[in-house]
Amino acid sequence: MPAAANDNRLPYGMIPRGLSRVAAAAYVGIGATLFDYMVGQGAMPCPRKAGGRILWDRCELDEAFEALPRDDTRHLPPTGENPWDDLGVA
């Protein structure tokens, strides 16, 4: 059966370019509250307006995510010390 003229569903597997606030936050792996904060700080892009909708550009989210700092502390060589040793718990 052919799709209705007003059917705006994307083909299976196609990611929309414009994302809602909650979907944009989920896309970069964070919650909406932290996403709002990061938008306010300039770490995430501002939304675009499409008629009455507020949408985030997926490609701009990719660029902002790539610009985030890396957690290099996970790659530091082990010191051989265990901070739990100082607690004196047997």
Side-chain angles (χ1 to χ4, degrees), residues 21-51:
R21 172 181 158 265
V22 172
Y27 182 74
V28 295
I30 59 177
T33 303
L34 178 56
F35 183 75
D36 291 344
Y37 176 78
M38 293 178 77
V39 169
Q41 295 296 311
M44 287 290 143
C46 292
R48 296 177 178 267
K49 294 181 181 181

Side-chain angles (χ1 to χ4, degrees), residues 62-76:
D62 287 338
E63 291 174 10
F65 188 84
E66 288 291 327
L68 292 174
R70 295 189 179 271
D71 182 3
D72 292 336
T73 60
R74 293 180 181 233
H75 304 291
L76 294 176

